[in-house]
Amino acid sequence: MLHNRIALLRAERAVSRKDLAEAVGVNFQTIGYLERGDYSPSLELALKIARFFNAPVEVVFSLEPFESLTAQLLRAGETKKENV
Amino acid sequence: MTSPAKIERPAPSRLTQSARRKIVAAIGLGLAALLVFDYLASSSDGVIGILSRALVATVLLAGIFALITTSTWFMMNAPDGALDERERALRGRVYFDAYVALAGVVAFAGLYFATLGPDFGLWMPQNQDQWWTIAWAALSLALLLPTAIYAWRAPDPLVDEI
């Protein structure tokens, strides 16, 4: 299964499913099914989505589950403390 | 991947997966009932036969109408260019499974009418009307099976959101 951060990136940039779908040339329902993990995109669609968010494809898609945002923030906070 | 062409698409199906599955089940039962009623009609009076057929036909038509007035029909009949990669892949799987199922039914029917029915004294059509009913049921099955499989499988529709 392919994991993705599409919902997070969309929410962060206030982009609707329809806007993203139109930009990458798919039906907005497909974006919803991608976000739910019900569908794995072709390489071309994955690259188009990554390009839309102006991010490397591995930032948007991963074969491993993504770390939660909270865990990332905690880890970043600890690293900052260590550096101080 | 080809982008979907700019074709006027119907809104996503108003029906949930559960509602669509009930409709498909009702159509399946209706077709089966039509065959059973036809068998019974050979030994019952004409009025009961006509009424029962009319009732089943109403259920069938209502179910088919429900499917063809939703996006289900569009998904099964739109040109490839109007669909995106997920929709084309889903449709391809549905057509393949419908072909396999239909081939199975036709093979079984051939075996039944050629060997099983006559050799084991099982039910066989008694008159031309019953053969016509079987022919119509087979035609309906061939035409409706892909749409029915798609309606059964397609996930619940999603809404747009940020």
Side-chain angles (χ1 to χ4, degrees):
Chain A
M1 185 187 166
L2 198 59
H3 302 270
N4 70 74
R5 282 184 172 130
I6 297 173
L8 179 71
L9 290 163
R10 263 196 327 103
E12 204 175 69
R13 297 168 198 211
V15 175
S16 72
R17 281 178 179 160
K18 274 189 177 153
D19 293 339
L20 174 58
E22 206 164 294
V24 298
V26 295
N27 183 353
F28 81 90
Q29 298 262 316
T30 298
I31 300 295
Y33 296 128
L34 278 170
E35 289 175 359
R36 290 198 328 194
D38 290 346
Y39 175 67
S40 292
S42 66
L43 179 60
E44 185 181 352
L45 179 56
L47 289 170
K48 279 184 175 178
I49 292 171
R51 189 173 61 186
F52 176 84
F53 289 119
N54 201 20
V57 75
E58 62 269 23
V59 169
V60 188
F61 296 95
S62 169
L63 291 170
E64 310 300 330
F66 284 107
E67 198 177 8
S68 77
L69 200 58
T70 317
Q72 285 179 52
L73 288 170
L74 287 171
R75 196 158 42 80
E78 282 166 12
T79 313
K80 205 174 173 182
K81 275 183 197 169
E82 284 168 13
N83 291 339
V84 169
Chain B
M1 186 188 72
T2 314
S3 301
K6 289 288 173 196
I7 288 178
E8 197 61 42
R9 296 174 61 114
S13 176
R14 303 178 298 275
L15 300 170
T16 61
Q17 187 185 54
S18 159
R20 275 184 271 114
R21 286 184 171 186
K22 282 175 189 156
I23 291 170
V24 170
I27 291 174
L29 287 174
L31 274 173
L34 202 61
L35 292 174
V36 171
F37 284 151
D38 222 53
Y39 170 65
L40 292 178
S42 62
S43 57
S44 65
D45 63 66
V47 177
I48 292 173
I50 289 168
L51 284 177
S52 56
R53 281 182 198 149
L55 182 70
V56 171
T58 307
V59 171
L60 276 174
L61 287 176
I64 293 166
F65 181 77
L67 288 186
I68 65 175
T69 53
T70 61
S71 60
T72 304
W73 189 257
F74 174 80
M75 288 290 294
M76 295 313 296
N77 293 284
D80 271 359
L83 305 178
D84 68 26
E85 59 173 48
R86 178 190 63 86
E87 294 165 327
R88 282 196 299 271
L90 180 57
R91 186 163 78 170
R93 279 199 303 277
V94 165
Y95 275 132
F96 175 77
D97 292 345
Y99 169 75
V100 170
L102 198 61
V105 170
V106 169
F108 177 77
L111 192 69
Y112 182 93
F113 291 122
T115 308
L116 293 176
D119 290 358
F120 293 94
L122 301 174
W123 177 83
M124 289 289 284
Q126 304 297 315
N127 52 49
Q128 200 178 13
D129 279 352
Q130 292 181 346
W131 277 112
W132 271 115
T133 304
I134 290 169
W136 279 112
L139 183 66
S140 309
L141 192 68
L143 292 175
L144 280 174
L145 204 54
T147 304
I149 293 176
Y150 176 80
W152 188 273
R153 281 205 192 144
D156 280 332
L158 302 172
V159 293
D160 188 24
E161 63 178 37
I162 290 183

